[in-house]
Amino acid sequence: MDKREAINDMGNNASTRIKRYQEFKKYLGESSQLFESLKNKNEKAIRLANLYHLCITPGGSLGGSDDRVFEIFYGQRPFDTQRPDPFNRQKITVLSEYGARLHYHLLDNGLVLAVLHPAKTENFSPTETSILISGFIPPEKLIKIVHSHFKLLNSYMQCTSLDGEPNLIDKSRIFWLRFTNHLIIDSKKQPIKAISYASEVLKYALTVGLSGFLLAAITAHYTDTVDYTTQADAISRKISSIDAQISSESKNIVDIKNALENLSKKKTKK
């Protein structure tokens, strides 16, 4: 490849990346109305929105100034008060809960990362700090997966918020999400559980399978393939016959012995 071809190739790559940037900006312009429509069609989402207020923020929650970020989240809500100082009864702390959050981030290559954050309080939250639900999404495909991602957000909110009312579908959906996606725990991406378990099962299967194969091979090698069952039965019958003959002969010998003793007694009397 000469220098001109290399420059053209770079231009093509840059063009693809720029088109992705443009697609993401287009998505930012359409997303608010789309998510608002999805919320209005979902009774459970309406309930959560009345409790926490659903915030749809193209450009991010920090003023909407980042054109690489789109967030939809359930807002902050006070749920209790606390008097932390026993010597100052007038001092009251308001305890608040932060709702679940769906975060889209445009990467440098023009693809999009989608992350879910759970609802949490200062002292109450799941083990994971977030779940990587989709990586490297082409921006033009975001519209097609909005509905499924909105379901994930609401199920995650139901399962992790203090006043959530998760049903079996919500619980199953989040269980599967945690099982098949990367969890972020203590700022570290964890291995996918499904892959880890599958690896362990495969390792076990291979170990057991190899052991069984070796055992079968050893057994086949050291076991005579001739079936001696018929011969053993024949020998057993012969032995039984011989035993019967010996028993019969022994009886005859005893009878002869008794007869001789009787004759001897008669001669003695005469």
Side-chain angles (χ1 to χ4, degrees), residues 4 12 82 117 129 133 136 162 247 255:
R4 182 177 298 175
N12 291 335
Q82 183 181 31
H117 299 267
T129 53
I133 59 172
F136 307 110
L162 296 178
S247 178
D255 291 340

Side-chain angles (χ1 to χ4, degrees), residues 30-262:
E30 298 174 352
S31 56
S32 295
Q33 186 176 353
L34 183 58
F35 276 106
E36 190 69 33
S37 174
L38 290 174
K39 182 203 75 174
N40 293 333
K41 295 177 182 177
N42 188 320
E43 292 184 3
K44 298 187 76 173
I46 292 173
R47 173 185 172 272
L48 289 173
N50 290 335
L51 288 173
Y52 294 86
H53 183 63
L54 183 65
C55 303
I56 303 169
T57 57
S61 56
L62 298 177
S65 58
D66 191 343
D67 59 2
R68 286 194 170 201
V69 172
F70 169 76
E71 290 182 315
I72 172 172
F73 60 95
Y74 288 97
Q76 180 181 358
R77 182 177 77 103
F79 66 90
D80 201 0
T81 58
Q82 183 181 31
R83 290 187 174 88
D85 187 353
F87 300 102
N88 184 359
R89 301 285 295 175
Q90 301 302 317
K91 184 178 181 180
I92 298 176
T93 299
V94 177
L95 303 178
S96 297
E97 179 185 18
Y98 299 86
R101 178 183 302 258
L102 173 59
H103 176 99
Y104 293 104
H105 186 87
L106 181 67
L107 302 174
D108 291 345
N109 61 1
L111 298 176
V112 179
L113 196 69
V115 182
L116 269 179
H117 299 267
K120 63 180 181 178
T121 70
E122 183 179 352
N123 301 309
F124 184 84
S125 64
T127 303
E128 73 274 2
T129 53
S130 59
I131 303 177
L132 177 61
I133 59 172
S134 295
F136 307 110
I137 311 167
E140 64 271 16
K141 293 185 178 180
L142 284 173
I143 294 294
K144 297 178 181 179
I145 60 178
V146 159
H147 188 256
S148 62
H149 281 189
F150 188 67
K151 286 182 179 179
L152 291 177
L153 172 66
N154 284 289
S155 290
Y156 204 33
M157 182 66 179
Q158 296 285 1
C159 291
T160 58
S161 68
L162 296 178
D163 294 313
E165 296 178 351
N167 57 25
L168 184 59
I169 293 176
D170 293 321
K171 293 177 181 179
S172 300
R173 186 177 286 148
I174 298 308
F175 169 81
W176 187 249
L177 188 69
R178 285 168 169 158
F179 189 65
T180 58
N181 292 269
H182 288 290
L183 304 182
I184 309 299
I185 300 176
D186 296 331
S187 301
K188 295 180 181 179
K189 185 170 71 173
Q190 305 299 311
I192 295 175
K193 291 181 180 179
I195 295 177
S196 299
Y197 290 167
S199 176
E200 290 298 320
V201 170
L202 180 61
K203 187 189 301 181
Y204 176 78
L206 289 174
T207 302
V208 173
L210 181 60
S211 300
F213 172 76
L214 291 175
L215 180 61
I218 292 171
T219 304
H221 180 75
Y222 288 103
T223 301
D224 199 329
T225 57
V226 178
D227 186 1
Y228 290 105
T229 304
T230 303
Q231 296 181 28
D233 288 343
I235 292 171
S236 178
R237 285 194 297 270
K238 285 184 179 180
I239 293 173
S240 298
S241 177
I242 292 171
D243 287 341
Q245 291 179 16
I246 292 172
S247 178
S248 178
E249 294 296 333
S250 298
K251 185 178 180 182
N252 291 335
I253 292 171
V254 170
D255 291 340
I256 293 171
K257 181 182 177 183
N258 291 334
L260 291 173
E261 288 180 349
N262 290 333

